[in-house]
Amino acid sequence: NLKEYTYTLEFQDLFENLDNWVVDVMPGISSGNNEIQHYSDSPDNVFLTKIDNQNVLVLRSLERKYGNYNYTSGKVYSKLPFGPYGFYNIKAKVPKDNCLFPAIWMLPLEERYQYGRSPSCGEMDIMESICKDKRAFYVAHYGGTYPNNDKSPDFPNNFFQVEINWDYPHYFGVEWQPEYMKFWLDARVVNGKVEGIEGARISSEEWYSLTNEGELRHKGAPFDVPFNLIMNLAVGGNWANSLNC
């Protein structure tokens, strides 16, 4: 019987500006996924606009030269980290097309060297979508650095077991607490409680972090430090290539 929490709103970004975000500029090869785009700070790749009278952040991929790359795209991360712990819920209209790999995830950018590099520092993938596949995936990464890394949940428990209409925006969320992590689709907080479509629930007994020497760190690590929120639209990469996108 795992403890349940109640929530009140502490942060909400209505995207009147990008003051809470850093626009990342980096080559796709540095992602570790062999992505074929270069993330750019061009206003053609990352910009704000209005849709149905609401401010929205747009991350757009383009077939455009950038050094040795033939594609550019957008990636942002939060200036300040969040947590540890809480409920994080992001509304997004996710593009579906060949070679596209959009993601909403969390990584401890300021604390990554406390527990080493990913995934020993921990990573929460709130939503990953690939090409025209109709599923929304989620997973937590932890353990040691590659090849001593680990993750949970495993397939086929790492995606929402419902049919998603990608023509519309959806809420993708994660409930992150000392005792557990739980993924949510189209959730909202009602009287302090999260209600929506439930994904997998991971017990803290499952996650762990290893030092470079392979020694087990203290209980709770690596998900006991603040994490930054990251949103990006990748092009290609190992996963997309595996589907012959």
Side-chain angles (χ1 to χ4, degrees):
N1 294 323
L2 297 177
K3 181 178 179 180
E4 293 190 354
Y5 290 82
T6 57
Y7 300 97
T8 56
L9 183 63
E10 292 191 3
F11 175 83
Q12 182 179 31
D13 197 330
L14 300 178
F15 288 108
E16 296 176 351
N17 52 57
L18 286 175
D19 290 352
N20 295 316
W21 303 91
V22 175
V23 180
D24 206 356
V25 178
M26 61 174 283
I29 192 65
S30 298
S31 68
N33 298 317
N34 290 316
E35 299 163 7
I36 62 174
Q37 85 294 320
H38 199 295
Y39 290 116
S40 159
D41 59 0
S42 165
D44 293 330
N45 294 117
V46 181
F47 59 94
L48 299 176
T49 190
K50 279 186 178 290
I51 298 178
D52 296 331
N53 207 36
Q54 291 185 330
N55 299 319
V56 296
L57 165 67
V58 178
L59 305 178
R60 181 167 65 178
S61 64
L62 295 170
E63 188 172 357
R64 177 179 291 179
K65 290 288 291 185
Y66 192 115
N68 295 326
Y69 289 82
N70 294 320
Y71 297 90
T72 60
S73 196
K75 177 182 180 182
V76 298
Y77 62 87
S78 60
K79 281 186 179 178
L80 298 176
F82 297 101
Y85 315 125
F87 174 57
Y88 301 87
N89 205 26
I90 301 91
K91 184 180 182 181
K93 170 68 169 62
V94 179
K96 303 296 296 179
D97 208 343
N98 289 339
C99 288
L100 294 185
F101 180 15
I104 302 169
W105 50 301
M106 299 184 77
L107 192 75
L109 297 179
E110 291 188 3
E111 303 288 347
R112 65 170 62 193
Y113 297 111
Q114 177 175 336
Y115 294 140
R117 293 189 176 274
S118 181
S120 63
C121 66
E123 177 181 324
M124 291 178 277
D125 294 337
I126 302 172
M127 187 286 303
E128 292 182 305
S129 173
I130 189 70
C131 300
K132 295 182 179 180
D133 191 294
K134 295 186 178 297
R135 294 169 291 185
F137 295 89
Y138 49 77
V139 72
H141 294 276
Y142 48 86
T145 54
Y146 181 83
N148 298 313
N149 52 307
D150 206 344
K151 64 181 180 179
S152 185
D154 292 320
F155 184 86
N157 299 313
N158 61 339
F159 61 91
F160 294 103
Q161 306 295 313
V162 296
E163 184 173 335
I164 299 174
N165 187 340
W166 295 99
D167 292 333
Y168 298 94
H170 294 275
Y171 283 94
F172 303 94
V174 62
E175 199 176 355
W176 167 30
Q177 295 296 347
E179 301 86 1
Y180 66 91
M181 189 183 303
K182 188 174 184 179
F183 298 93
W184 291 87
L185 173 67
D186 288 332
R188 58 178 182 160
V189 175
V190 180
N191 297 324
K193 298 290 187 179
V194 182
E195 296 182 358
I197 300 171
E198 299 182 25
R201 185 172 187 165
I202 307 168
S203 169
S204 61
E205 299 298 324
E206 296 184 50
W207 69 67
Y208 61 94
S209 180
L210 300 177
T211 67
N212 290 336
E213 294 73 33
E215 296 179 357
L216 188 65
R217 291 190 171 96
H218 61 270
K219 181 177 173 57
F223 298 110
D224 60 349
V225 297
F227 275 53
N228 294 74
L229 178 63
I230 306 170
M231 298 180 286
N232 65 279
L233 176 57
V235 180
N238 297 334
W239 198 357
N241 291 339
S242 71
L243 298 181
N244 297 317
C245 286

Coordinates of all heavy atoms in Angstrom, one line a residue, residues 60-107:
R60 N 9.8 23.1 -34.1 CA 9.6 22.7 -35.5 C 10.8 22.2 -36.1 O 11.9 22.8 -36.0 CB 9.0 23.9 -36.3 CG 8.7 23.6 -37.8 CD 7.9 24.7 -38.4 NE 8.7 25.9 -38.5 CZ 8.2 27.0 -39.1 NH1 7.0 27.0 -39.6 NH2 8.9 28.1 -39.1
S61 N 10.7 21.1 -36.8 CA 11.9 20.5 -37.6 C 11.8 21.0 -39.0 O 10.7 21.2 -39.6 CB 11.9 19.0 -37.5 OG 10.7 18.5 -38.2
L62 N 12.9 21.3 -39.6 CA 13.0 21.8 -41.0 C 14.1 21.1 -41.7 O 15.2 20.7 -41.2 CB 13.3 23.3 -41.0 CG 12.2 24.2 -40.4 CD1 12.8 25.6 -40.3 CD2 11.0 24.2 -41.3
E63 N 13.9 20.9 -43.0 CA 15.0 20.4 -43.9 C 15.8 21.6 -44.3 O 15.5 22.3 -45.2 CB 14.4 19.7 -45.1 CG 15.5 18.9 -45.9 CD 14.9 18.1 -47.0 OE1 13.7 18.0 -47.1 OE2 15.7 17.5 -47.8
R64 N 16.9 21.8 -43.5 CA 17.7 23.0 -43.6 C 19.1 22.7 -43.2 O 19.4 22.0 -42.2 CB 17.1 24.1 -42.8 CG 17.9 25.4 -42.8 CD 17.3 26.5 -42.0 NE 16.0 27.0 -42.6 CZ 15.3 27.9 -42.0 NH1 15.6 28.4 -40.9 NH2 14.2 28.3 -42.7
K65 N 20.1 23.1 -43.9 CA 21.5 22.9 -43.6 C 21.9 23.6 -42.4 O 21.6 24.7 -42.1 CB 22.4 23.3 -44.8 CG 22.3 22.5 -46.1 CD 22.9 21.1 -45.9 CE 24.5 21.2 -45.8 NZ 25.1 19.9 -45.7
Y66 N 22.7 22.9 -41.5 CA 23.3 23.5 -40.4 C 24.7 22.7 -40.2 O 24.7 21.6 -39.7 CB 22.5 23.3 -39.1 CG 22.9 24.1 -37.9 CD1 22.1 25.1 -37.4 CD2 24.1 23.8 -37.3 CE1 22.4 25.9 -36.3 CE2 24.5 24.6 -36.2 CZ 23.7 25.6 -35.7 OH 24.0 26.3 -34.6
G67 N 25.7 23.3 -40.7 CA 27.0 22.6 -40.7 C 26.9 21.4 -41.5 O 26.6 21.4 -42.7
N68 N 27.2 20.2 -40.9 CA 27.2 19.0 -41.7 C 25.8 18.3 -41.6 O 25.6 17.2 -42.1 CB 28.2 18.0 -41.1 CG 29.6 18.5 -41.4 OD1 29.9 19.1 -42.4 ND2 30.5 18.2 -40.5
Y69 N 24.8 19.0 -41.0 CA 23.5 18.4 -40.8 C 22.6 18.9 -41.9 O 22.7 20.1 -42.3 CB 22.9 18.7 -39.4 CG 23.6 18.0 -38.3 CD1 24.8 18.4 -37.8 CD2 23.1 16.8 -37.8 CE1 25.5 17.7 -36.8 CE2 23.7 16.1 -36.8 CZ 24.9 16.6 -36.3 OH 25.5 15.9 -35.3
N70 N 21.6 18.1 -42.3 CA 20.6 18.5 -43.3 C 19.3 18.9 -42.7 O 18.4 19.3 -43.4 CB 20.4 17.4 -44.3 CG 21.6 17.1 -45.1 OD1 22.3 18.0 -45.5 ND2 21.9 15.8 -45.4
Y71 N 19.2 18.8 -41.4 CA 17.9 19.1 -40.7 C 18.2 19.9 -39.5 O 19.2 19.7 -38.8 CB 17.1 17.8 -40.3 CG 16.7 17.0 -41.5 CD1 17.5 16.0 -41.9 CD2 15.5 17.2 -42.1 CE1 17.1 15.2 -43.0 CE2 15.1 16.4 -43.1 CZ 15.9 15.4 -43.6 OH 15.5 14.6 -44.7
T72 N 17.3 20.8 -39.2 CA 17.3 21.6 -37.9 C 16.0 21.3 -37.1 O 15.0 20.9 -37.7 CB 17.5 23.1 -38.1 OG1 16.4 23.6 -38.9 CG2 18.8 23.4 -38.8
S73 N 16.1 21.5 -35.8 CA 14.9 21.3 -35.0 C 15.0 22.1 -33.7 O 16.0 22.8 -33.5 CB 14.6 19.8 -34.8 OG 13.3 19.7 -34.3
G74 N 14.0 21.9 -32.8 CA 13.9 22.7 -31.6 C 14.0 21.9 -30.3 O 13.5 20.7 -30.3
K75 N 14.7 22.4 -29.3 CA 14.8 21.8 -28.0 C 14.9 22.9 -27.0 O 15.7 23.8 -27.1 CB 16.0 20.9 -28.0 CG 16.2 20.2 -26.6 CD 17.5 19.4 -26.6 CE 17.8 18.7 -25.3 NZ 19.0 17.9 -25.3
V76 N 14.1 22.7 -25.9 CA 14.2 23.7 -24.8 C 14.3 22.9 -23.5 O 13.8 21.7 -23.4 CB 13.0 24.6 -24.7 CG1 12.9 25.5 -26.0 CG2 11.7 23.8 -24.5
Y77 N 14.9 23.5 -22.5 CA 14.9 22.9 -21.1 C 14.7 24.1 -20.1 O 15.0 25.2 -20.4 CB 16.2 22.2 -20.8 CG 17.5 23.0 -20.9 CD1 17.9 23.6 -19.7 CD2 18.2 23.0 -22.0 CE1 19.1 24.3 -19.8 CE2 19.4 23.7 -22.0 CZ 19.8 24.4 -20.9 OH 21.0 25.1 -20.9
S78 N 14.1 23.7 -19.0 CA 13.7 24.7 -18.0 C 15.0 25.4 -17.4 O 16.0 24.7 -17.1 CB 12.9 24.1 -16.9 OG 13.6 23.0 -16.2
K79 N 14.9 26.7 -17.2 CA 16.1 27.4 -16.6 C 16.4 26.9 -15.2 O 17.5 26.8 -14.8 CB 15.8 28.9 -16.6 CG 16.0 29.6 -17.9 CD 15.9 31.1 -17.8 CE 16.2 31.8 -19.1 NZ 16.0 33.2 -19.0
L80 N 15.3 26.6 -14.5 CA 15.4 26.2 -13.1 C 14.9 24.7 -13.0 O 14.0 24.4 -13.7 CB 14.7 27.1 -12.2 CG 15.1 28.5 -12.1 CD1 14.2 29.3 -11.2 CD2 16.6 28.6 -11.6
P81 N 15.5 23.9 -12.1 CA 15.0 22.6 -11.9 C 13.8 22.6 -11.1 O 13.5 23.5 -10.4 CB 16.2 21.9 -11.2 CG 16.9 23.0 -10.5 CD 16.7 24.2 -11.3
F82 N 13.1 21.5 -11.1 CA 11.9 21.3 -10.3 C 12.1 20.2 -9.3 O 12.8 19.2 -9.6 CB 10.7 20.9 -11.2 CG 10.3 22.0 -12.2 CD1 10.7 21.9 -13.5 CD2 9.6 23.1 -11.8 CE1 10.3 22.9 -14.4 CE2 9.2 24.1 -12.7 CZ 9.6 24.0 -14.0
G83 N 11.4 20.3 -8.2 CA 11.4 19.2 -7.2 C 12.6 19.3 -6.3 O 13.2 20.3 -6.1
P84 N 13.0 18.1 -5.7 CA 12.4 16.8 -6.0 C 11.0 16.6 -5.6 O 10.5 17.2 -4.6 CB 13.3 15.8 -5.3 CG 13.8 16.6 -4.1 CD 14.0 18.0 -4.6
Y85 N 10.3 15.8 -6.4 CA 8.9 15.4 -6.1 C 7.8 16.4 -6.6 O 8.1 17.5 -6.8 CB 8.7 15.0 -4.7 CG 9.9 14.2 -4.1 CD1 10.6 14.5 -3.0 CD2 10.3 13.0 -4.8 CE1 11.7 13.8 -2.5 CE2 11.4 12.3 -4.4 CZ 12.1 12.7 -3.2 OH 13.2 12.0 -2.8
G86 N 6.7 15.8 -6.8 CA 5.5 16.6 -7.3 C 4.8 15.9 -8.4 O 5.2 14.8 -8.8
F87 N 3.8 16.6 -9.0 CA 3.1 16.1 -10.2 C 3.4 17.1 -11.3 O 3.1 18.3 -11.2 CB 1.6 16.0 -9.9 CG 0.8 15.6 -11.1 CD1 1.1 14.5 -11.8 CD2 -0.3 16.4 -11.5 CE1 0.3 14.2 -13.0 CE2 -1.0 16.1 -12.6 CZ -0.7 15.0 -13.3
Y88 N 3.9 16.6 -12.4 CA 4.2 17.4 -13.6 C 3.4 17.0 -14.8 O 3.4 15.9 -15.2 CB 5.7 17.3 -13.9 CG 6.6 17.7 -12.7 CD1 6.9 16.8 -11.7 CD2 7.0 19.0 -12.5 CE1 7.6 17.1 -10.6 CE2 7.7 19.4 -11.3 CZ 8.0 18.5 -10.4 OH 8.7 18.8 -9.3
N89 N 2.7 18.0 -15.3 CA 1.7 17.7 -16.3 C 1.8 18.7 -17.5 O 1.7 19.9 -17.3 CB 0.3 17.8 -15.7 CG -0.8 17.0 -16.4 OD1 -0.5 16.0 -17.1 ND2 -2.0 17.4 -16.3
I90 N 2.1 18.2 -18.7 CA 2.4 19.0 -19.8 C 1.4 18.8 -20.9 O 1.2 17.6 -21.3 CB 3.8 18.7 -20.4 CG1 4.9 19.0 -19.3 CG2 4.1 19.5 -21.6 CD1 5.2 17.8 -18.4
K91 N 0.8 19.8 -21.4 CA -0.2 19.7 -22.6 C 0.6 19.9 -23.9 O 1.3 20.9 -24.0 CB -1.3 20.8 -22.4 CG -2.3 20.7 -23.5 CD -3.4 21.7 -23.3 CE -4.5 21.6 -24.3 NZ -5.5 22.7 -24.1
A92 N 0.5 19.0 -24.8 CA 1.2 19.0 -26.0 C 0.4 18.4 -27.2 O -0.3 17.4 -27.0 CB 2.5 18.3 -25.9
K93 N 0.5 19.1 -28.3 CA 0.1 18.6 -29.6 C 1.3 17.9 -30.3 O 2.2 18.6 -30.7 CB -0.5 19.7 -30.5 CG -0.8 19.3 -31.9 CD -2.0 18.3 -32.0 CE -2.4 18.1 -33.4 NZ -1.4 17.5 -34.3
V94 N 1.3 16.6 -30.3 CA 2.5 15.8 -30.7 C 2.4 15.5 -32.2 O 1.5 14.9 -32.7 CB 2.6 14.5 -29.9 CG1 3.8 13.7 -30.3 CG2 2.7 14.9 -28.4
P95 N 3.4 15.9 -33.0 CA 3.4 15.6 -34.4 C 3.7 14.1 -34.7 O 4.5 13.5 -34.0 CB 4.6 16.5 -34.9 CG 5.5 16.6 -33.8 CD 4.7 16.6 -32.6
K96 N 3.1 13.6 -35.7 CA 3.3 12.2 -36.1 C 3.7 12.2 -37.6 O 2.9 12.6 -38.4 CB 2.0 11.4 -35.9 CG 1.5 11.3 -34.5 CD 2.5 10.7 -33.5 CE 2.7 9.2 -33.8 NZ 3.7 8.6 -32.9
D97 N 4.9 11.7 -37.9 CA 5.3 11.6 -39.3 C 6.6 10.8 -39.3 O 7.2 10.5 -38.3 CB 5.5 13.0 -39.9 CG 5.3 13.0 -41.4 OD1 5.3 11.9 -42.0 OD2 5.1 14.1 -42.0
N98 N 6.9 10.4 -40.5 CA 8.1 9.6 -40.7 C 9.4 10.3 -40.1 O 9.5 11.5 -40.3 CB 8.4 9.3 -42.1 CG 7.4 8.3 -42.7 OD1 6.8 7.5 -41.9 ND2 7.2 8.2 -44.0
C99 N 10.2 9.6 -39.4 CA 11.4 10.1 -38.8 C 11.3 11.0 -37.6 O 12.3 11.4 -37.1 CB 12.3 10.7 -39.9 SG 13.0 9.5 -41.1
L100 N 10.1 11.4 -37.2 CA 10.0 12.3 -36.1 C 10.0 11.6 -34.8 O 9.4 10.5 -34.6 CB 8.7 13.1 -36.2 CG 8.6 14.1 -37.4 CD1 7.3 14.9 -37.3 CD2 9.9 15.0 -37.4
F101 N 10.7 12.2 -33.8 CA 10.9 11.5 -32.5 C 10.8 12.6 -31.4 O 11.7 13.1 -30.8 CB 12.3 10.9 -32.4 CG 12.6 10.2 -31.1 CD1 11.7 9.9 -30.2 CD2 13.9 9.8 -30.9 CE1 12.0 9.3 -29.0 CE2 14.3 9.2 -29.7 CZ 13.3 8.9 -28.7
P102 N 9.5 13.1 -31.1 CA 9.3 14.1 -30.1 C 9.3 13.4 -28.7 O 9.0 12.3 -28.5 CB 7.9 14.6 -30.4 CG 7.2 13.4 -31.1 CD 8.3 12.7 -31.8
A103 N 9.7 14.3 -27.7 CA 9.9 13.7 -26.3 C 9.7 14.9 -25.3 O 10.0 16.0 -25.5 CB 11.2 13.1 -26.1
I104 N 9.1 14.5 -24.2 CA 8.9 15.3 -23.0 C 9.6 14.5 -21.9 O 9.1 13.4 -21.6 CB 7.5 15.6 -22.7 CG1 6.8 16.3 -23.9 CG2 7.4 16.5 -21.4 CD1 5.3 16.4 -23.7
W105 N 10.6 15.1 -21.2 CA 11.3 14.3 -20.3 C 12.0 15.2 -19.2 O 12.0 16.4 -19.3 CB 12.4 13.4 -21.0 CG 13.3 14.1 -22.0 CD1 12.9 14.7 -23.1 CD2 14.7 14.1 -22.0 NE1 14.0 15.2 -23.8 CE2 15.1 14.8 -23.1 CE3 15.7 13.5 -21.1 CZ2 16.5 15.0 -23.4 CZ3 17.0 13.7 -21.4 CH2 17.4 14.5 -22.6
M106 N 12.6 14.5 -18.2 CA 13.2 15.2 -17.1 C 14.6 14.6 -16.8 O 14.7 13.4 -16.8 CB 12.3 15.2 -15.8 CG 11.0 15.9 -16.1 SD 9.9 16.0 -14.6 CE 10.7 17.4 -13.7
L107 N 15.5 15.5 -16.6 CA 16.9 15.1 -16.3 C 17.5 16.1 -15.3 O 17.2 17.3 -15.4 CB 17.7 15.1 -17.6 CG 19.1 14.5 -17.7 CD1 19.0 13.0 -17.7 CD2 19.9 15.0 -18.9

